[in-house]
Structure formats: structure tokens, C-alpha cells
Amino acid sequence: MKRILLTVGLLSLIWAASAIERSKTIVYINGAKYYVHAVQAGETLYAIAKSYGVDEKRLVERNPAAAEGLKAGAVLKIPVVADDEAPRQERSAKAERKLARTFATHTVVAGETLYAVARRYEISVQTIIEENPDIDPTHLSVGERILIRRKQIGKSSEEERATEWSDYRETLNSVADNDEHYYIVQKGDTFYALSRRFGITEQQLSELNNGLTPAALKAGAMLRLPEKPAADEPANVPEERIEAVQGPVEIDFRAHCNCEPLRISLLLPLTTDGRPHEHYLEFYQGFLIGLDSVRREGHAVDLTLFDTQRNRERLAAIVADERFRRSQLIVGPVYEEELGEVLRFAEQAQVPVVSPLAQLSETRSDALFQMAPDPKHKYDKAADLLDADKRITLIYTDRTDKEFEQEVLELLGDRPYAKHTYRYEHPSARAKSNTGDLTPLLENKDDNLFVVLAADETDVDRILAGLSSADTNLRSRSQGEPRYTVLGNARWNRFRNIDRSIFFKNRVVFFSTYHAKRDAQVTVDFDRAYLTAFGTLPSLYAYRGYDAAAIFGRAMYNDIEYDLEDRRYTPLQTLYRFKQEAKGGTHANTSWMRVNYRNDFTITTE
């Protein structure tokens, strides 16, 4: 009888272990992986340990409170055993191709957080965690590769991601040791402030978080910290220390609540000396259509338009106006010299200011967003043009664009290049000199890059025509297809008498602040809306007005809390990416448009 009872008891224990459902929630704590298991009524320590394949003693070591008995609702951290961490098998080439069709691959850069990766691809935090079981969500390593499911890109809202990231923190805290907890870094947090708040030194804060440095501290990062915050900052902090901590004025933007209209002030020089300024009227009209797109998404917007008249006294009156002082977003003024007084108000009121057109050279502020791309990033996308196998030739004329030449020389650095001076000659005179004949430049079998430094429209037209003619001539003589690309100057787009088809024939590449193809569907839709509203086709000023409203009207409801960093915005066709190069500095657009004219008469952009 006893043997029967013992057998029944053992069978009951085995059944209980098999009946326990293993948790699918896994967290990293101090570099080790754990299941997070919520104890259910009737579950025993033995059954749980058996189910997860761990020793009871090890389970108790990780969960000391379990030694006194289990209670329903208690949360245990259970080590993931070696069998569960079997290394991934090498995949066949076919499997790799299938994986590539399903997933994009993101490579982690210095200072990047999992939350920032999720925001960049607008994908669920939970999806990334589930499909990358080998990554520690609280600490990404530089060079680590993360799989991003292609079909999920763009499917997650900012609110959903923030909730998931907060939920992961709560899960970590549910199994953290009693003397520590996890904290999500907020905008404006500093190393010094966090260490004082939690009663530790900056060195201890770094050691608790894998050697994190103050410069690498990012909003959205998840830190391991002591459980109890220290008392408020003591009053006797040395005065020089306070200055060091404060540094430049830092702004802590907050997302706007959709419970009330967003109040926007738009500052434009619509008139100058009493005369209307057509371009800024077009900008305003494009801005109105951009706001309509924001309203269609369910956001209420209250716009106040101010005519600055490019007059300082008028601007001072605007800043004192009660309607302006109620602003929650300021767009303009468009000239850098007018920004100072507006920024002083904005920094105090914690209101973002958008400079929509100017490339700012002196003004710096954490409240300021510059939409014109930063000149220092102009040639970020030029690496392939300077490939080591390229033969580079600078084509000069008697009238050289000195600014463009300086840019190119800085870009080339120590890279070797040749020079060719072009002087126009009538075809009948070319028997005496060949300075106007560009055929010799194409007779080599190399991959050529020609940089045309001419400042004069006629010279540019003649050089491009000469290259195209030489190309045709060599082909007709069966000497092969010359390989070359022309690096052009975006200012050529202002020339009125150049046949644009010659850009295609010469495979011209431009780096431009803005690009909009009339035949792209998104531009067609905007043109149609603009034509219906105002009876004329839009200009580039109208396109830029639309972009300003479409980007910042939406960002005020979410991305403004993160200074719009790590996000790509393409309202029409031009890409914007904002980055703050220095603490307390301006958030400048770093993306220049690379426009490629291809010899099949198509245009591609990067």
C-alpha cells in the first residue's frame, strides 16, 4: 500500500511539473539570461525547477524569498540553462537569402539603445526582443547585428513603443534584487544629476552600467540603479560645479496633448518696405496644405501668421504680442539675424523654434531646429564617387566657381587628381589646338569622375555638350563605351538655357539641399491640392512650407520629446534627419539629397 501511495505521489509531482507552462518572457540581468515566471496557485518549487530544468538550490540562490515558501503571484527569475541557449546552426546560402527577404539587418553603433532602434524603424520593441533572443535589450554592443522584420517596419506607434519599453522595465524590476532597480533615462537627465539623485558617485553609476560614459548617456536608455533615490540635491553644491553641470541652456520638450489645439506661430517677411514678397507667400500657402494633412490625422491646429516685414522693431512687437507668447511651436523667422529675440523667449518658455530655410552659421540653441542641411554633411554620400579605382579630373575654365572648387578640394584631401583647362574653340579652329576637344579625356579605359568647376552657364553647357559628343564619337568608332560620371554643382539648376537632357547623357550627380520630381505621385498629389487651392503650380518655396508643417505639426505629438533624433522624415521627396552635434547646440538637418541623372533618362535620389 505504501509503495502504491509513493508511486502515486511521484506521479503527481511529475504531472505537476509537466503541467507548468514555461514562461516565454526572458530578460537579461547583469549579462545573464532569465525566464520570468509568475507563480500560480498550487505550484511547488520542485515542480517549477523540474519544468525549467534547473536545480532547486540554484533556483533558491537566485530567489532567496522562495526558501520560505511560494505564494501565488510571486515572480521568480529562473536561469536559462545551456540547452536553451544552443548556438545557432550555420545557415545555408538559400536560408540566408530567405532570411534577407524576411529581415533587414541593423548594425548597432556607439551609444545606440534598443529603444532608439525601435523608433528608427517604427517597429515594436517586443518584436525586436522576441526575434533577437541573443541580445541584451538594456545593453547593445557596438557592431551587434539586429534582425528587423521587414513587414513590421512602420507599423508601431510611438505610444506603443514607449509602453512596451516601460513594460520591459517593469518586468526587470519585478525580478531585480532588493537593492537595485531599472530606470529609463529621460530627456534632460545627466550623469551628475542621476548620481546625486540615487546617492552614488558618477564612477559607481558607470560601473553599474557596463562602463557607460556621460557622453554616451541617451534618453530612452535603461539603467541599473540603486533602489532608493537619495534626498534632494544638497544646498551646498559648490558654485563652480553647478555651472559645469548646467552648461548651455538645455530644453526639455514635452509632447503636446491631443486634448487641445496646437498653437503655432508662423513668422514670415510677407512684405518688405510695403512690397509683397512672392516666395514667402508661396511658403505660407504650402504650409497651409501641410497643416491640412496634420488635421486629417485627427489633430487640431490653431495657426497665427505674423508678417515680420524684415524689420527689427516689428519683430520686437511680435515677440511682445500675447498671441505669440501663447505659442507651442514657432516656425520662423527665416533670416538668421532675426532669431535672437525669438530664441530668448523660446528657451525660457521651452518652445521649439524651426528655422525653415536658412543655413545658420552663428546661432546655436537647444530650442532651434534647422531644416536646411548642414554644409559639413554635404558630401556624406559621395564615397563611391571617390573610389580608389576612379580617375578624377577637375575641369577648369577662365571663370571658375571658387566656392565649389574649395568644397571639392577639401573633399579630395590627399586623393590624387588631374587638371584639365577647357577653352572653347570653334570647330574650324581645332586643328591648331585641342583644348576644346574633350575626346582625349574619355579615351582611357578607366572609370572616370569629371568635376566641372565652371561658373559660367555657357561654359558648363559647352563642356557637357563636349563630353557627350566625345562619348558618341568613341562609341561610333567602336572604341568601347566610355565610363564616366560628372560631379555637378547644384547651382546649375538655376541656369535657364541648358538643355536638361544633357544631364542624363553625362550621368551628372548633384548634391542638393532640396529635390522634388514633378512626376512622383506624392508630388503630383501635392501639386493637385495646391493648384485647386491657389490656382497655380507650386514653387520650391511651397514645397518647403509643406515639409515644415508636415514634419513639425506631427512631431509635436510625439517625436519632439526626443528632439526628432534617429528618425527619417520624407514629407514629399526630400529626406530630413535632425542631429544635435554638441550639447546645447542646434538640431540641424544632416541630410543632403544626392540626385543621380542616369543615361537611361531616369533620376534616382539618395
Side-chain angles (χ1 to χ4, degrees), residues 324-392:
F324 173 82
R325 302 187 76 81
R326 295 175 62 247
S327 302
Q328 294 161 316
L329 170 65
I330 301 168
V331 179
V334 298
Y335 296 104
E336 182 169 11
E337 63 267 23
E338 297 179 329
L339 280 167
E341 195 163 354
V342 171
L343 285 172
R344 282 191 288 275
F345 163 78
E347 289 176 347
Q348 185 177 29
Q350 306 259 304
V351 172
V353 176
V354 179
S355 176
L357 299 171
Q359 286 186 340
L360 308 176
S361 58
E362 301 295 334
T363 308
R364 300 287 183 272
S365 173
D366 194 20
L368 184 60
F369 292 82
Q370 175 185 317
M371 292 186 68
D374 188 335
K376 74 173 69 170
H377 293 283
K378 183 172 182 178
Y379 295 103
D380 284 356
K381 301 169 184 174
D384 64 304
L385 297 177
L386 306 178
D387 187 273
D389 295 331
K390 283 275 198 303
R391 178 194 290 260
I392 300 174

Side-chain angles (χ1 to χ4, degrees), residues 466-478:
L467 288 171
S468 177
S469 176
D471 183 5
T472 301
N473 183 34
L474 290 172
R475 289 170 189 262
S476 66
R477 286 156 43 189
S478 300

Side-chain angles (χ1 to χ4, degrees), residues 38 99 101 122 136 142 165 253 268 381-382 399 425:
L99 189 71
R101 288 195 296 269
E122 298 180 71
D136 179 353
V142 175
W165 195 225
F253 296 122
L268 297 172
K381 301 169 184 174
R399 288 163 289 187
E425 295 178 341

